[in-house]
Amino acid sequence: MNQLVTTDWLNKNIEKVKILDASWHLPNTNRNSFEEYKSEHIVNSLFFDIDKNSNQKTNLPHMLPSKEDWEIIVSDLGISNSDHIVVYDNSDVFSSCRVWYTFLYFGHDSKLISVLDGGFKKWINEKRPTSNNHVNIEKSKYIAKENASLVINKDQVNKNIDSKKFQLIDARGEQRFLGLQPEPRKELKSGNIKGSTNIPFQKLLREDRTFKKKEELIDIFKSKKISIEKEMAFTCGSGVTACILGLANSIISGNKPIIYDGSWAEYGLD
């Protein structure tokens, strides 16, 4: 798998890849990612709207779309099955990992979908080329192939409380996990899924927003009594930051991530 590319690599290969800006912000931040994209983005990049490019037939936030809808979304971006895609973001919640996961879920070659390590902040800090130009798109004919084993639902999560088939790991901050801090979505109760373990996603990143080295990631997982060899699934507030843990586990194990798509946005409604 080719989970991460460096800013240096992207700068050298900028004409050979399709670049997506997948910035997404929590509802309580009052930031507009599309407006930010329009004012400045990495050269040649297209905006990917995580909320819009999701299942519109559910009240839950940015759930996986249908295979048919995904094919239209990606074809409208002019992306082909053979394209190497690099996803980045300018978000506190490292939202590009969610788009990386979605491409894997819909069968994109895992060697051809990568996250920009360090994101837009690192790119800007290194004074690499940005633009505010509109990118012209030629539509493509993208074919998706769903891998349903990469997602779990509430029923599977509940059964797992007793069966302990997989280890469920929650990416939210410790205060939210422990129910000491209210959820950003008002309608949700506080707390966590019984039997789940907490690794706040920030612990996996260095100050410059790049991922820590494989050995460090292994140590973080083990410090939480997580067995690296045993199956894991990931959850969070609404399925975005769970994918950061999923990417970290993919660096460790080479496995594609399994995500509880509804996450606490669904589980915390009861």
Side-chain angles (χ1 to χ4, degrees):
M1 287 172 85
N2 201 0
Q3 301 97 337
L4 296 170
V5 297
T6 62
T7 47
D8 199 40
W9 184 93
L10 180 57
N11 201 33
K12 289 189 182 114
N13 292 277
I14 205 154
E15 299 296 335
K16 298 179 192 157
V17 294
K18 294 284 169 79
I19 309 170
L20 298 177
D21 179 330
S23 301
W24 177 86
H25 307 299
L26 277 166
N28 57 1
T29 57
N30 296 322
R31 285 177 66 185
N32 184 319
S33 43
F34 185 51
E35 290 303 321
E36 290 177 16
Y37 163 82
K38 283 197 295 193
S39 70
E40 189 176 28
H41 50 257
I42 292 177
V43 169
N44 297 346
S45 63
L46 298 165
F47 184 70
F48 186 96
D49 189 325
I50 284 178
D51 285 328
K52 210 171 90 196
N53 297 334
S54 65
N55 184 345
Q56 300 300 312
K57 300 184 180 79
T58 169
N59 297 332
L60 294 169
H62 40 255
M63 296 282 283
L64 288 164
S66 69
K67 174 178 168 289
E68 294 70 30
D69 284 348
W70 183 252
E71 288 179 338
I72 292 165
I73 288 161
V74 180
S75 298
D76 284 350
L77 288 164
I79 291 172
S80 307
N81 292 76
S82 58
D83 280 330
H84 187 169
I85 305 155
V86 177
V87 196
Y88 77 90
D89 65 75
N90 185 22
S91 158
D92 295 337
V93 293
F94 210 162
S95 49
S96 47
C97 297
R98 172 69 189 187
V99 177
W100 168 81
Y101 163 74
T102 309
F103 271 97
L104 290 177
Y105 176 82
F106 285 110
H108 200 78
D109 182 342
S110 61
K111 293 188 206 68
L112 297 177
I113 174 75
S114 310
V115 167
L116 179 63
D117 206 13
F120 193 55
K121 278 208 174 79
K122 190 167 191 286
W123 187 268
I124 290 279
N125 288 342
E126 294 166 355
K127 303 197 169 26
R128 298 190 188 272
T130 62
S131 166
N132 57 7
N133 292 345
H134 177 74
V135 181
N136 288 324
I137 299 171
E138 274 183 54
K139 283 191 187 182
S140 61
K141 186 91 182 74
Y142 191 84
I143 308 293
K145 195 174 165 208
E146 233 167 323
N147 183 351
S149 69
L150 299 186
V151 75
I152 52 171
N153 59 30
K154 188 177 174 188
D155 194 37
Q156 289 164 291
V157 167
N158 280 331
K159 284 193 177 121
N160 188 66
I161 292 170
D162 294 323
S163 73
K164 298 184 173 48
K165 181 173 165 280
F166 53 83
Q167 305 166 94
L168 186 64
I169 307 165
D170 190 322
R172 291 175 301 160
E174 189 179 33
Q175 295 294 302
R176 277 173 70 190
F177 180 81
L178 295 173
L180 302 173
Q181 182 186 343
E183 288 295 305
R185 292 179 175 80
K186 305 270 186 289
E187 69 278 14
L188 302 177
K189 64 183 180 187
S190 297
N192 61 67
I193 298 165
K194 192 178 174 189
S196 61
T197 304
N198 182 215
I199 300 183
F201 75 86
Q202 292 90 340
K203 292 205 183 323
L204 309 174
L205 306 174
R206 297 192 193 92
E207 259 181 56
D208 66 355
R209 311 281 293 166
T210 57
F211 271 89
K212 290 179 178 173
K213 291 235 173 340
K214 181 178 173 176
E215 289 66 35
E216 294 174 90
L217 296 174
I218 291 171
D219 288 344
I220 292 164
F221 276 69
K222 284 187 170 167
S223 73
K224 295 287 190 163
K225 311 256 185 301
I226 290 159
S227 164
I228 298 295
E229 294 72 37
K230 200 179 162 209
E231 193 175 320
M232 300 177 208
F234 303 97
T235 182
C236 60
S238 65
V240 173
T241 60
C243 300
I244 306 170
L245 297 190
L247 195 149
N249 179 46
S250 178
I251 291 169
I252 292 168
S253 66
N255 297 331
K256 292 174 183 172
I258 299 169
I259 303 291
Y260 171 27
D261 203 23
S263 281
W264 195 255
E266 176 179 50
Y267 209 90
L269 282 172
D270 293 351

